[in-house]
Amino acid sequence: MSEDASVTPVAAAADPAAAPVPPRQTARGAGRMNLTEGPIAKTLILFALPTLASNVLQTLSGSINSVWVGQFLGGSALAATANANIIMFLMFATFFGFGMAATVLIGQAIGRGDTDAARRATGAVVGLALIFSLVIAIVGWFASTTILHWLKTPPEAFDLAHDYLRVTFIAIPASMLAVTLMMASRGAGDAVTPLRFMLLSVVLDIALNPLLILGIAPFPRLGIAGSALATAIAGTISLIAMLGWFYARDHVLRLRGPELKYLLPNMEELRFIIGKGLPMGAQMLVISGAGLVMVGLVNREGLVTAAAYGATLQLWNYVQMPALAVGAAVSAMVAQNIGAAKWNRVTTITNGGIAINLMMTGVLIALLLLFDRAALALFLGGDTAAIDAARHIQLLATWTFLPFGTTIVLIGTLRANGSVVPPLVILFLSMFPIRLGIYYLGYPALGGDAIWWSFPLSSFASLTMAWIVYRRGNWRRTLPQPRVA
């Protein structure tokens, strides 16, 4: 499953004449950790925790804003935001891969002490994000009516969704630039700066939502457009503050003077970022597509099961967070160590990430199963039938996140050296032919329970495939770097 059989083997890095500059000679900047030295487990935990906190904050912000909209404007408004958010997720999922490809370049450049290469990669992905987001914002503004018709948005929610979507499209450039800078910063070993400005954005968003929805003096009453505008204002302020912080603290990725030309990426950088980024973005689309298919299968089982599954998904959003945070931390840490030619640490980092994820996710699963009735009641109220159905789902399928998390860590390691096609193939096979095959083969004997058994069994299948690629694949070859123009 090699992606580039022509690249030079890693063993060539053993040449003393080609030894990289020690990472400690790289400009450090505020909040940046040295991921190539020191105790691996401690460093990995300290680096993953800010990312985990950022994920929690972002999810809480979405949940609280949904409460504001639902309580103040009603169910039609809430449905309108859901329709608009689907579009936004697809837009960000498309660009996500490009950001991740750039973080591979940034991490490896920081690892080998090449600050200029890290800044070139940062400039390239920021310039690409600016162009991409401006095009999306302009096209989306004029095509919002057509998009909502494609989604079959209910008539009673259409006008609300239209107002919300248009304002959200205006906010895309600032939001995408902020997300891109946060990803780049983590690639450079700084997970604290993204957390700091994610917190600022979330606090502003939560505070501004009711003010702009209801028109609490001196703010105008904007209804659902006010919710979208609150998010736009919060994101823009956070982006401006983060840029100011980058320059005030002389962050390792800040661009000055002649370095500003890096915002116009050369073809070599674009070829790498797009070539590696498209499969990474496709991974997100595969996961979201599989989620839509499962929702369709669940809906066939009736309203009670659908409600139970909806509540279960809310709780699963939190259970999977340690895996996502640890996987991202492993990817950044492995990339820097590969850049520093410290391959002896890569296996230890991966094993440490697996152990930390199993511990953190295992604790969350145990707590959830112990207190599942109380947790589910937050979403389902006093509906005993739906709560009982959700508890049944939890018992059968929640432990899915143990093999899932291990797979995420392995994929993070592969991704750190630019191996992006094997993870895409693994996710596609496990999410579609394997998971759906388990469902259709098991349904005659298990009925609706075939849905829930398909989750852990397909996760074990993806773990098996990822482990085989990790142990026997060609991903350990050196990654070709874009040439300097």
Side-chain angles (χ1 to χ4, degrees), residues 16-33:
V21 179
R24 60 179 176 275
Q25 294 181 15
T26 306
R28 291 285 302 221
R32 195 164 69 81
M33 298 178 65

Side-chain angles (χ1 to χ4, degrees), residues 223-242:
I224 194 169
S227 179
L229 184 60
T231 302
I233 293 172
T236 302
I237 292 175
S238 178
L239 172 63
I240 294 171
M242 183 162 50

Side-chain angles (χ1 to χ4, degrees), residues 5 47 58 75 125-126 150 188 195 201 228 230 256 264-265 272 337 340 459:
F47 186 59
Q58 194 169 26
V125 74
V126 169
W150 284 346
L195 172 60
S201 177
R256 280 201 175 101
L264 297 174
F272 181 94
N337 280 272
S459 288

Side-chain angles (χ1 to χ4, degrees), residues 56-406:
V56 172
L57 282 172
Q58 194 169 26
T59 302
L60 281 175
S61 175
S63 298
I64 293 172
N65 288 344
S66 293
V67 170
W68 290 140
V69 171
Q71 290 294 321
F72 296 148
L73 301 175
S76 294
L78 192 59
T81 64
N83 277 264
N85 288 336
I86 290 173
I87 302 300
M88 293 304 105
F89 175 81
L90 292 175
M91 294 301 100
F92 277 89
T94 301
F95 192 81
F96 169 83
F98 302 143
M100 286 305 306
T103 63
V104 171
L105 289 178
I106 293 168
Q108 293 199 13
I110 291 293
R112 65 176 181 271
D114 191 346
T115 303
D116 188 64
R119 290 174 180 168
R120 285 201 315 271
T122 302
V125 74
V126 169
L128 185 61
L130 182 59
I131 295 169
F132 182 87
S133 60
L134 286 175
V135 171
I136 292 299
I138 294 170
V139 172
W141 171 270
F142 290 104
S144 56
T145 300
T146 303
I147 291 170
L148 292 173
H149 280 303
W150 284 346
L151 285 176
K152 305 296 182 184
T153 303
E156 60 270 25
F158 193 94
D159 289 340
L160 292 169
H162 187 265
D163 293 343
Y164 185 88
L165 186 59
R166 277 198 156 184
V167 178
T168 302
F169 272 121
I170 295 175
I172 275 188
S175 298
M176 192 163 286
L177 286 174
V179 169
T180 301
L181 283 175
M182 289 179 182
M183 294 173 71
S185 182
R186 293 187 186 108
D190 177 11
V192 175
T193 295
L195 172 60
R196 181 179 287 115
F197 293 100
M198 176 63 73
L199 178 61
L200 173 62
S201 177
V202 167
V203 169
L204 289 173
D205 194 7
I206 292 174
L208 288 172
N209 252 271
L211 298 178
L212 291 173
I213 291 173
L214 298 176
I216 299 173
F219 297 93
R221 184 184 181 90
L222 300 176
I224 194 169
S227 179
L229 184 60
T231 302
I233 293 172
T236 302
I237 292 175
S238 178
L239 172 63
I240 294 171
M242 183 162 50
L243 286 171
W245 178 271
F246 265 51
Y247 285 93
R249 303 303 293 268
D250 197 29
H251 195 280
V252 68
L253 298 182
R254 90 309 173 256
L255 304 179
R256 280 201 175 101
E259 295 170 339
L260 292 173
K261 68 182 180 182
Y262 296 158
L263 292 170
L264 297 174
N266 61 44
M267 288 306 299
E268 287 292 324
E269 287 165 340
L270 279 179
R271 187 177 295 113
F272 181 94
I273 290 174
I274 294 174
K276 298 294 183 182
L278 284 175
M280 292 189 198
Q283 292 174 30
M284 298 288 289
L285 297 178
V286 166
I287 292 172
S288 60
L292 290 175
V293 170
M294 296 311 294
V295 167
L297 296 178
V298 169
N299 287 341
R300 296 181 184 181
E301 302 299 314
L303 181 61
V304 170
T305 301
Y309 183 60
T312 298
L313 286 179
Q314 292 291 327
L315 298 178
W316 282 356
N317 283 336
Y318 293 93
V319 175
Q320 70 180 348
M321 283 183 182
L324 299 177
V326 173
V330 166
S331 187
M333 197 167 177
V334 168
Q336 289 199 20
N337 280 272
I338 290 174
K342 294 185 177 182
W343 283 87
N344 58 307
R345 288 168 57 91
V346 169
T347 299
T348 307
I349 293 168
T350 304
N351 292 340
I354 291 172
I356 292 167
N357 169 71
L358 289 175
M359 178 184 67
M360 295 174 69
T361 303
V363 169
L364 278 180
I365 290 174
L367 290 173
L368 177 59
L369 294 181
L370 282 172
F371 302 103
D372 58 347
R373 183 175 291 277
L376 291 165
L378 294 173
F379 302 97
L380 297 172
D383 189 342
T384 305
I387 289 177
D388 289 341
R391 294 186 72 199
H392 180 69
I393 296 170
Q394 300 272 23
L395 288 172
L396 291 182
T398 301
W399 55 281
T400 295
F401 292 98
L402 293 175
F404 166 83
T406 304

